[in-house]
Amino acid sequence: MSEIRAIVHIATPGDGRPGHLRAVGRPAPTAGPGEAVVEVHAALLTPGSPPPREDGSVVGADGAGVVTQVGPGVVGLAVGDAVALPALLTCRACAACRAGRANLCPSRRRPGRDVDGWVAERVVVRADQLVSTAATVPPPLAASVPGIVAPAFNALKRAGVGPGVSVAVVGADALGLHLTQLAALAGGEVTTLDDRHEARERAADLGADRTLPLDGRSLPEVLDEPVDRLLVRGEVPASALEALAPGGRLVIVAVGDQRGEVSLPTDLLVRHELDVVGADGATPQDVVELFDLAAEGRLVLHTAVGSTYPVADLVAAETALTGTDAGLPIVLDPR
């Protein structure tokens, strides 16, 4: 049986080498009914992401490549097609999936976390989970769309951003930068908050009307006036609702395994008729729409990823993951 190379997470290496990423051999995948084999040309690893739940599992939640085999019953997909690998694996049959909200599928699983991820020479995937990419989008950038850019797109839809709506984005990592860019594309008046000077510069390049440091201050202290929409990744600042204008909306964007509590002053919530909504992941339709925007030249993707590392130098790759590259994922080519 032929083998492929895959990169797995080992919690306790036991061999004296630093780091927890290891190259191992795995049986070469073959496509069964309704499946496709994809040769992975780029896979992403994001700083701070939790490791797979099971030791020895393949890492990587984001990937892109080229179809090398299709199984019986597959339509609309052919060998040689460039595709993005899914950031969520869903059933496509439950009520949420049928309603176009596959990100809420009760049986959804995250590659690189719940099941094997995409950092392997070739992977097998259900063909209906794949999305064709724009021909002009290189694999590392295509890989970023389902799991990084699309969740930002979904969050902006949940926020209801449009022309003249004032928006504050807390944080300018890969997700925050695309929240900024997409809010600007929607016509919002965007303020991006981040303590890192370089991150603020990137946000300004992507359309932020202004960028501000937090410097340990509360949101109302930093912002000149309340905003219509506040987008927060992960932990929610205690002053979040105070930063909203009457009728405003707080959108909490999930990051990894979302945990924590939100303190809601109910008098302010009711008196100002504020909305608090969550946003987790994205739908296949979000991904399709984003590749259309990229093909039209309206969506900038190059800020979604950081440096590229050869898969042969896993020590350097893992060192980069613990560095300070503004929270941007690194790129590995598993071939």
Side-chain angles (χ1 to χ4, degrees):
M1 178 181 294
S2 62
E3 283 195 341
I4 60 165
R5 177 172 56 186
I7 307 304
V8 302
H9 178 270
I10 303 296
T12 53
D15 56 11
R17 290 183 293 168
H20 299 318
L21 299 179
R22 295 292 179 267
V24 300
R26 289 286 183 92
T30 58
E35 295 178 334
V37 172
V38 176
E39 181 182 74
V40 181
H41 290 189
L44 309 183
L45 296 177
T46 302
S49 292
R53 297 184 191 279
E54 293 188 9
D55 201 24
S57 294
V58 180
V59 298
D62 308 287
V66 172
V67 175
T68 59
Q69 181 188 14
V70 294
V74 173
V75 295
L77 195 67
V79 171
D81 286 353
V83 293
L85 293 159
L88 283 177
L89 298 170
T90 60
C91 72
R92 294 297 180 94
C94 68
C97 287
R98 295 196 307 272
R101 303 191 72 180
N103 58 313
L104 302 182
C105 175
S107 60
R108 65 188 183 274
R109 298 168 296 160
R110 300 180 187 275
R113 180 62 170 152
D114 305 312
V115 296
D116 278 341
W118 305 133
V119 190
E121 291 181 275
R122 295 191 300 279
V123 296
V124 63
V125 193
R126 271 181 46 186
D128 63 1
Q129 306 273 341
L130 297 169
V131 176
S132 296
T133 67
T136 55
V137 180
L141 304 184
S144 73
V145 173
I148 298 174
V149 188
F153 196 36
N154 175 52
L156 264 295
K157 290 180 177 180
R158 298 280 289 155
V161 175
V165 174
S166 59
V167 183
V169 177
V170 181
D173 60 0
L175 177 60
L177 289 172
H178 281 92
L179 288 170
T180 295
Q181 180 182 189
L182 292 166
L185 282 176
E189 300 169 359
V190 187
T191 299
T192 303
L193 308 171
D194 199 291
D195 285 333
R196 298 164 298 183
H197 177 71
E198 291 183 359
R200 294 198 302 273
E201 286 187 333
R202 281 192 287 267
D205 290 341
L206 290 171
D209 296 287
R210 62 175 181 166
T211 62
L212 300 170
L214 286 162
D215 291 332
R217 297 170 293 169
S218 69
L219 292 176
E221 289 175 318
V222 176
L223 298 168
D224 295 337
E225 57 186 22
V227 294
D228 301 317
R229 304 290 185 265
L230 176 63
L231 294 113
V232 178
R233 305 148 20 266
E235 186 176 349
V236 180
S239 60
L241 290 190
E242 297 172 22
L244 284 172
R249 181 172 297 170
L250 167 65
V251 181
I252 306 169
V253 187
V255 176
D257 289 337
Q258 186 77 24
R259 294 289 186 273
E261 297 180 358
V262 181
S263 177
L264 299 178
T266 53
D267 59 334
L268 185 63
L269 186 73
V270 174
R271 182 161 34 92
H272 286 178
E273 293 192 347
L274 303 177
D275 295 330
V276 179
V277 302
D280 187 12
T283 70
Q285 183 59 33
D286 291 329
V287 179
V288 170
E289 291 176 21
L290 287 168
F291 278 119
D292 288 343
L293 286 174
E296 296 168 6
R298 298 175 59 197
L299 178 66
V300 177
L301 293 172
H302 65 80
T303 54
V305 298
S307 303
T308 299
Y309 293 86
V311 75
D313 195 350
L314 295 179
V315 173
E318 191 149 24
T319 299
L321 286 173
T322 59
T324 57
D325 195 12
L328 300 181
I330 65 169
V331 183
L332 290 174
D333 184 342
R335 294 174 292 173

